[in-house]
Amino acid sequence: MNLAVTNLSLTLVMGLVLIALWIGWHEQLGVDKDIIIGVIRAVIQLTVVGYVLKYVFRIDNLLLTLVLMLIIVFNAADNARKRSKGFEGAFWISFIAILTSTFVVLSVLVLSGSIKMTPSQIVPISGMVASNSMVAIGLCYRNMYAMFRDQRQQVLERLALGADIKNASRGILRETIRTGMSPTIDSSKTVGLVSLPGMMSGLIIAGVDPVKAIKYQIMVTFMLLATTSLASFIACYLAYKKYYNSRMQLIDLNGK
Amino acid sequence: MTLLELSGVGFAANDHAILQDVNLTVEADDYLTITGPSGGGKSTLLKLIATMISPTAGTIRYEGKDLETYDPIMYRREVSYCFQQPTLFGTDVLENLSFPALIRGKEFDRNRAMELMDYVKLQPDMLNHPVNELSGGERQRVALIRNLMYLPKLLLLDEISTGLDSENKAIVWSLIDRLKADSGVTLISVTHDEREIADAKNLARVENGHLEVVR
């Protein structure tokens, strides 16, 4: 193990935050408060998580691991919900989408022998899957709202011709799912060339042979492609219906 | 036979009454013209009949049955609403004219499309024309025949000739006349067009949210 981050070095590195604060102050971005809150939250949350994970890994209990996974999925769903512009049932749609994508991806990884069914492997991977699903779903919600607002007339024309709500929304669904997936597709094209992503970097810093580390990164790339596509697909197909009422009329977005 | 019957129909949005106590009977084969000042509630009335919105008071009956009990999809395929300033979707004319077949799970009837395009003086090669290269008049004509790929029982026209030049107006109205003569489609047309109002056999006026039958 060649990791050397001590409490002292971490305190010194905290000076980097001053750069962000200075830019925020100099350009009058009004983000100073957010940066400070963000830093404090990051330190507290990660410290707590560090101790919780240490405990969970030591206990090595399946039920406890599942509870921790559910908490991760719950938090991710709650965060995705905030991007929904308040349509009804956004939390549960996000929860179902994130839970399903996490379950499917983890099942494949465990069954293929890529990772072991131990908390130290399951929990971090769940976090990666859930957070990527969360971001993808958030993008989908934002895009879907904008498209239903901007393409309202086209949707109405289709409905008036006798289309069901799926046919009336087809273009929006397609474009929105693509929006949810595109960051992952883009980053899979540049992975290794532009960035050495988190998992691979972590392994390399921890002293693992880079050739071994890339195998994990390849696994992560596959995993994230499946995750974001599945989460976007499920969330979009459940969410678009919320833009219509029971009479298959497009709801008024004014005031939302 | 009574095709459409509105009794005590009202529509309000954000506590503002747009239509109040509208009573109207439309017989099959009728050609009803509705006029009135802008913002008086004419378009809202057509949207209610088209089930794009639902009334907040009263009932609309179609073929004797409460509209709220109809499957909106099946109803909208019989009662076709042509928007004021319609939008074409997709990339080309074909995508628009084949959409009615697509949603019915049927094959696109090219002959029908050609026939309708001929009626409204659109060249056959227009079928593959990008929609963003069409003129305003051409768009209106494509939108109108899109509603007619499958013949509706009731056609709702929302100021379809507004903004068109005299040539485009003549083309559109000759199609409507042909439709009336050949296929017996019932028509409700909202218009500001003076000639249409003067020629109307059945005329109603909507003003300040109230409907009054003129003749």
Side-chain angles (χ1 to χ4, degrees), chain A residues 153-165 167-168 170 245-250 252, chain B residues 51-54 67-68 70 72-73 76-77 81 83 86-90 99 103-104 146-147:
Chain A
Q153 185 57 31
Q154 295 193 20
V155 175
L156 289 172
E157 301 263 1
R158 289 185 166 100
L159 286 175
L161 288 166
D164 58 20
I165 58 169
N167 269 317
R170 196 174 288 279
N245 64 20
S246 60
R247 297 295 297 154
M248 300 191 194
Q249 295 160 346
L250 192 56
D252 194 359
Chain B
T51 68
M52 302 311 288
I53 47 177
S54 292
L67 204 55
E68 295 295 306
Y70 272 92
I73 298 172
R76 289 170 193 156
R77 289 178 188 178
Y81 177 46
F83 284 83
T87 311
L88 300 182
F89 40 73
F99 188 73
I103 57 176
R104 287 168 174 81
R146 188 175 64 185
N147 285 63

Side-chain angles (χ1 to χ4, degrees), chain A residues 110-123:
Chain A
V110 170
L111 291 174
S112 66
S114 303
I115 61 168
K116 291 198 181 76
M117 192 65 198
T118 60
S120 63
Q121 297 196 11
I122 292 286
V123 174

